[in-house]
Amino acid sequence: MKHVVVLTGAGMSAESGIATFRDSGGLWEQHRVEDVATPEGFRRNPQLVLDFYNARRKAAFAAKPNAGHVGLADMEREYKVTIITQNVDDLHERAGSTHVLHLHGELKKVRSTVDPSLVYELTPEKPDIHVGDKCAKGSQLRPDIVWFGEAVPMIEEAIREVETADVLVVIGTSLNVYPAAGLLNYAPAGVPVYLIDPNNVVASRSGVHYIHKGASEGVGELRSLLRKTP
Ligand code: OAD
């Protein structure tokens, strides 16, 4: 079975109603990154940060996978599929994908600020955390999200997956954020790279096959292109 590795970003979930970051009207127009997505911001105003992620988490719980997520999950019948996502929602899993690496953490999880191994899962019935909510060791809980300036623990595993790709697919990411954006360079030479995005994204690699469509339509086109390729 061919190994298809798929790197996804916020645009993957746009058709599920989840806001992207850098598009016009995106999250980073309404919030300062320094305030809500850095350890310094959390130290300065923890409740502001918790509220930001509480709102994101509620939106993610309410959203449903779109045809793009479902199409990628269906591809497991024909290929070995590894999804490497920058997204913090769980729409890939809810669509049925079984091998998903979250580079930037997961909204539904929260963890201790002193012991990162103490992780708890929130539910749609209890989707919020607040200042004063503590782990088993008595320390404040924080979102299990990788903030700017923090290490990306899953990157080594992601690199190993990309190194064994027979096909690389990039969907709905502006490729602004490293180390995620650098993953394209780990695909072996000669591996076909497909990039699905309705807008112009500049990939740091030549020979990319661009599919200028939204995620749902784009995944459909990708599947018919792959069927025609031996
Ligand atoms: P961006 O908001 O930077 O990019 C979203 C991409 O999705 C853009 O290239 C859009 O053109 C594209 N897009 C919009 N609608 C689409 C659709 N319907 N179908 C497919 N693509 C569409 O989001 P990311 O690249 O994911 O990290 O951002 C990377 C990281 O920056 C995020 O994981 C987040 C953010 O800050 C952290 O917060 C740590």
Side-chain angles (χ1 to χ4, degrees):
M1 256 189 184
K2 271 192 189 169
H3 187 199
V4 178
V5 177
V6 188
L7 172 67
T8 66
M12 183 77 225
S13 298
E15 290 157 28
S16 295
I18 299 206
T20 61
F21 295 95
R22 294 173 184 80
D23 289 306
S24 90
L27 287 169
W28 294 156
E29 264 181 15
Q30 297 146 51
H31 304 271
R32 280 161 38 103
V33 177
E34 304 83 337
D35 289 342
V36 297
T38 62
E40 295 74 25
F42 186 60
R43 273 197 291 277
R44 260 196 317 273
N45 190 343
Q47 192 62 56
L48 178 84
V49 176
L50 296 183
D51 286 342
F52 175 75
Y53 289 99
N54 287 342
R56 307 274 79 72
R57 192 177 302 110
K58 272 185 232 170
F61 276 136
K64 292 192 174 60
N66 62 54
H69 295 106
V70 173
L72 292 176
D74 283 350
M75 283 173 68
E76 292 193 10
R77 287 189 290 209
E78 298 154 89
Y79 312 97
K80 175 185 174 196
V81 181
T82 303
I83 311 257
I84 302 169
T85 188
Q86 298 166 85
N87 297 346
V88 291
D89 63 54
D90 63 355
L91 295 176
H92 284 300
E93 289 90 338
R94 279 160 55 199
S97 285
T98 58
H99 191 196
V100 184
L101 301 186
H102 283 272
L103 285 178
H104 294 160
E106 290 176 77
L107 270 175
K108 67 179 179 199
K109 294 182 181 166
V110 293
R111 64 176 155 94
S112 165
T113 39
V114 292
D115 180 350
S117 74
L118 287 179
V119 178
Y120 304 88
E121 208 163 293
L122 300 176
T123 60
E125 293 70 43
K126 196 200 166 294
D128 292 339
I129 53 168
H130 300 285
V131 170
D133 288 347
K134 306 267 171 68
C135 72
K137 290 187 176 165
S139 292
Q140 176 65 43
L141 290 174
R142 58 162 279 181
D144 192 16
I145 299 284
V146 177
W147 286 326
F148 286 95
E150 294 186 316
V152 179
M154 296 304 278
I155 196 69
E156 294 300 329
E157 200 177 328
I159 288 172
R160 284 197 295 275
E161 295 291 352
V162 176
E163 282 173 342
T164 64
D166 297 308
V167 178
L168 180 67
V169 182
V170 180
I171 307 177
T173 173
S174 63
L175 295 174
N176 267 291
V177 174
Y178 284 78
L183 284 170
L184 265 72
N185 301 316
Y186 288 91
V191 159
V193 180
Y194 295 88
L195 191 151
I196 300 173
D197 201 297
N199 298 305
N200 288 320
V201 173
V202 181
S204 60
R205 190 182 169 111
S206 56
V208 173
H209 182 109
Y210 289 90
I211 299 175
H212 283 294
K213 294 198 164 142
S216 297
E217 232 191 311
V219 168
E221 179 161 333
L222 169 78
R223 294 182 73 185
S224 53
L225 284 170
L226 289 180
R227 278 193 206 104
K228 288 181 204 145
T229 325

